[in-house]
Each structure stands twice: as structure tokens, then as C-alpha cells.
Amino acid sequence: MIIDRVEVETINSFSKSELLKEVYGLISIIPILTLLLGITIEVLVIVWLEREISASIQQRIGPEYAGPLGLLQAIADGTKLLFKEDILPSRGDISLFSIGPSIAVISVLLSFLVIPLGYHFVLADLSIGVFLWISISSIAPIGLLMAGYSSNNKYSFSGGLRAAAQSISYEIPLTFCVLAISLRLAICRNYQVVLSSDSDPDSSTVDIVEAQSKYGFFGWNIWRQPIGFLVFLISSLAECERLPFDLPEAEEELVAGYQTEYSGIKYGLFYLVSYLNLLVSSLFVTVLYLGGWNFSIPYISFFDFFQMNKAVGILEMTMGIFITLTKAYLFLFISITIRWTLPRMRMDQLLNLGWKFLLPISLGNLLLTTSSQLVLL
């Protein structure tokens, strides 16, 4: 059999193109793997920080034996949960029982796609970035409700119902606060579009951070939206189910709430969700109200102040990530301190706070923001 030279070259070019496609496919996965590695490290750091801060507040000794300063304690706990026996309820719905933790974890991990850690250092710069986070985070309580229902346990089911009620009660004020920031940005940018006759700009998380960088420290939304910041802060703590809002897993009333029947790695996933939620909320507080990666005085950026060359992109991005995480850890410190300071609320107090106070205040803040921006235009 004689093979023409042209056919051989065609086969070689086809094999090379297939190889390039595989290489490009592997390269495209690198940012996602890097993000997952960073998230894992951040969760381990948050667990260690919470234990150390809690120990300092209670005047006791925190983790100190597993590794230097107890840094490996979280890894030891995760390894222990990984090898523990996975016990299933005999009369429960096994399929829903197994799917519930996965839904909760996946919904929180997807939120990291729209969080900018630095200048255009984001996996998905979408025009609906913040609202995508709100819509995705609303899926997590479904997983908690599935976990409570499938356990065939009255304590677990009560915890799942509490998680759903709490999520609905505090997502509405949180959405109104985000809507006030987006509406203010949209009105200002649309006015500039009319003057410059450009195309309509997107209102993404990157745009929200850049809009706060014009006036430096005094341009942060925490000064322009102080009421919205307080409502967002309280609603975020409630969404994370942190004390004093941890009613879905109140140990005095519900043993452990929706996770009463769980053990092993499934219990570890719920444990992971709580810290992932806290990290996501901290990063969004930084992006929406604290200027994101910007740390500057009016009209003078960090690098201009020290007369550094703008071409140093890697250093600038590193500094942006460092500044973003520093601001996020400030919110983490506040939430950890609140956990060991305030007592747990009753369920009726929690719902009254959400529906009777935060909802009217956030709606009034939205109307005030809209009217003030229209008057200024």
C-alpha cells in the first residue's frame, strides 16, 4: 500500500492540531485549579484565625500542638473527617441526603467566579456579576432544606426550614442594598454615556470597584451608602448563619439542626460551606463598600506616590490581591468577634429584624439613593 506524501502531511497536521487542542484545554483549567487552591488555603487560614481569636477572647489556649502555632490543626480535622464512617439514616431519602451537601458547596464555589481580587483579575467579568452571586447563593438553602427533609428527623427538618426562612428574610434587604449601588453606578455612567456618545458600559463587580477609585479613600461606598453598608453587614452575617443568627443549627434546641444525622465527609462539607460563605461575604463587602483592590488618597495612586513604573504589572496585581484580602480579613475579624460577643437570637426576633426593620430601611435607602441621583443629574 502506497501512501501519498500529501496524505502524510495532512495526517501529521491533524495530529498536531489535536495535540494543541488538548494543550489549550489543559491550560484553560489552570486558572480554575489556582482558584480552588487559593480557596482551600484561605479556608484553612480562616479556621486557624477563628480558633486563635476565639481563644484570645475567652482567655484560653488555642490550637498549638498540630504544627507550628497550631497551623496544621484544620488539616488534621479535615483528614479525620475524610476517613470517618459515612453513616446513612435507615429510613431517610438516601439520594437527597447525599445531594444536599453537594448543592450547598457548589453554589458557594460558583460565587467566586465573579469576585475580582485585583485589577481585571477575575475569572468571569460579567455585567450582572453581583446579582449572579445573589441568585447563586439563594440555591444553597435548598441544599440545606433537602438535607433536613431527607434525614427523617424532626430536629433536622426544623433546621432546614429555619435555614430557608432565614435566607428568604435576609436576601431581600441584601438585594436592595446591592441594587442601590448598581443603580447609582448605572445613573452616573449613563449620564456620562449621553455626554460622550459611547456605548452603554457594563455594571460588573470590576466597574463597581473602579467607580470607587476616582476619589480614593473618600470615594468608597461605605461613605456614600452608610445605611446600606450596615444593612448589608447584618444581612451577610445572617446569610452566613453566624452567631447571633445561627438558628438553623442551634445546639440547645435542635441538637445540630439540618446536619444532625450527618457524619464523615458530608458533615465536613457543611462545615466547609459555613467558612466559604463567610469568605465570599467578606470579599463582597470589600468589593462593594471598601474600594476593592484600591488603597489610595484622592487622585494619587499607590504606585504614583512612590514613583514606581506602571509597567510593573505583576507587582501591582500582587499588591491589589494583598489589599483586597487585608480588607476582607477586617470583616472576618468583626464577624468572629461578634460570634463570641452577642447571644443567640430567638427565631421570632430574627424574622422581626429582617422583615420589620431591615427590609423597610433597605427599601428607603434605595428610594433615597434613586431620588438623590436624579436630583443631582
Side-chain angles (χ1 to χ4, degrees):
M1 180 178 180
I2 301 175
I3 301 178
D4 192 9
R5 180 179 179 183
V6 177
E7 294 180 358
V8 173
E9 291 179 353
T10 304
I11 294 173
N12 291 335
S13 62
F14 178 76
S15 61
K16 290 181 180 178
S17 63
E18 290 295 323
L19 179 61
L20 289 176
K21 288 181 181 180
E22 294 180 0
V23 172
Y24 290 151
L26 293 176
I27 293 176
S28 63
I29 300 177
I30 292 177
I32 300 177
L33 295 178
T34 304
L35 179 63
L36 291 177
L37 178 61
I39 292 172
T40 304
I41 296 175
E42 288 294 323
V43 169
L44 295 177
V45 172
I46 293 172
V47 173
W48 179 79
L49 279 177
E50 180 169 32
R51 291 179 173 179
E52 289 291 337
I53 295 172
S54 304
S56 300
I57 293 175
Q58 297 177 341
Q59 295 183 349
R60 58 180 174 83
I61 300 175
E64 60 177 2
Y65 294 108
L69 301 176
L71 290 172
L72 301 180
Q73 185 62 52
I75 299 178
D77 294 340
T79 305
K80 179 181 69 174
L81 289 174
L82 184 63
F83 290 100
K84 272 185 172 292
E85 181 182 1
D86 186 16
I87 301 175
L88 302 176
S90 58
R91 298 184 180 181
D93 193 325
I94 305 302
S95 58
L96 294 180
F97 188 82
S98 302
I99 295 174
S102 303
I103 292 178
V105 172
I106 292 173
S107 63
V108 179
L109 287 177
L110 290 176
S111 302
F112 285 94
L113 296 176
V114 295
I115 299 178
L117 297 178
Y119 181 71
H120 288 292
F121 188 69
V122 58
L123 284 181
D125 186 11
L126 304 177
S127 60
I128 56 170
V130 184
F131 297 102
L132 179 65
W133 163 58
I134 294 175
S135 61
I136 291 176
S137 62
S138 62
I139 301 176
I142 298 177
L144 306 184
L145 185 60
M146 292 170 59
Y149 171 77
S150 61
S151 298
N152 193 25
N153 183 308
K154 60 181 180 180
Y155 299 112
S156 301
F157 188 49
S158 298
L161 291 177
R162 284 187 177 188
Q166 182 169 324
S167 175
I168 295 172
S169 301
Y170 286 88
E171 269 186 4
I172 300 175
L174 187 143
T175 305
F176 281 153
C177 295
V178 174
L179 187 59
I181 294 177
S182 300
L183 190 60
R184 181 184 177 280
L185 176 63
I187 292 175
C188 295
R189 297 292 289 273
N190 286 334
Y191 180 68
Q192 295 175 1
V193 166
V194 171
L195 294 180
S196 61
S197 299
D198 292 334
S199 59
D200 189 13
D202 293 332
S203 178
S204 65
T205 51
V206 175
D207 291 325
I208 292 174
V209 175
E210 291 180 345
Q212 301 175 68
S213 64
K214 183 177 181 181
Y215 300 102
F217 175 76
F218 299 101
W220 294 356
N221 286 328
I222 189 175
W223 314 120
R224 300 174 179 178
Q225 295 279 322
I227 300 175
F229 172 73
L230 292 176
V231 175
F232 189 91
L233 190 69
I234 297 173
S235 301
S236 298
L237 289 176
E239 285 290 311
C240 297
E241 298 175 5
R242 304 279 298 181
L243 269 169
F245 305 106
D246 64 336
L247 274 302
E249 50 188 72
E251 63 272 8
E252 294 95 342
E253 308 167 19
L254 305 178
V255 185
Y258 53 84
Q259 53 191 1
T260 301
E261 299 294 337
Y262 282 89
S263 63
I265 189 61
K266 292 188 178 69
Y267 177 80
L269 290 178
F270 282 125
Y271 192 74
L272 178 65
V273 167
S274 63
Y275 286 101
L276 287 176
N277 258 328
L278 187 59
L279 179 59
V280 169
S281 299
S282 303
L283 290 172
F284 270 105
V285 168
T286 302
V287 169
L288 295 176
Y289 292 98
L290 301 181
W293 61 83
N294 293 308
F295 185 73
S296 56
I297 60 178
Y299 300 106
I300 301 178
S301 68
F302 182 86
F303 291 93
D304 290 338
F305 184 79
F306 289 99
Q307 296 181 352
M308 297 178 68
N309 192 355
K310 280 285 187 179
V312 190
I314 297 178
L315 180 61
E316 188 176 7
M317 182 177 295
T318 304
M319 287 299 300
I321 296 174
F322 175 77
I323 292 170
T324 302
L325 293 179
T326 302
K327 295 176 182 178
Y329 278 111
L330 175 62
F331 175 78
L332 287 170
F333 176 78
I334 294 174
S335 62
I336 293 172
T337 306
I338 290 176
R339 176 180 181 181
W340 300 103
T341 305
L342 300 179
R344 180 182 292 116
M345 303 175 67
R346 297 197 313 265
M347 193 64 194
D348 60 322
Q349 293 174 337
L350 181 139
L351 296 178
N352 286 336
L353 177 63
W355 291 104
K356 294 183 179 180
F357 292 94
L358 296 185
L359 179 59
I361 292 174
S362 61
L363 183 57
N365 178 66
L366 177 60
L367 296 177
L368 181 63
T369 303
T370 306
S371 60
S372 63
Q373 291 301 312
L374 292 177
V375 169
L376 292 176
L377 290 179

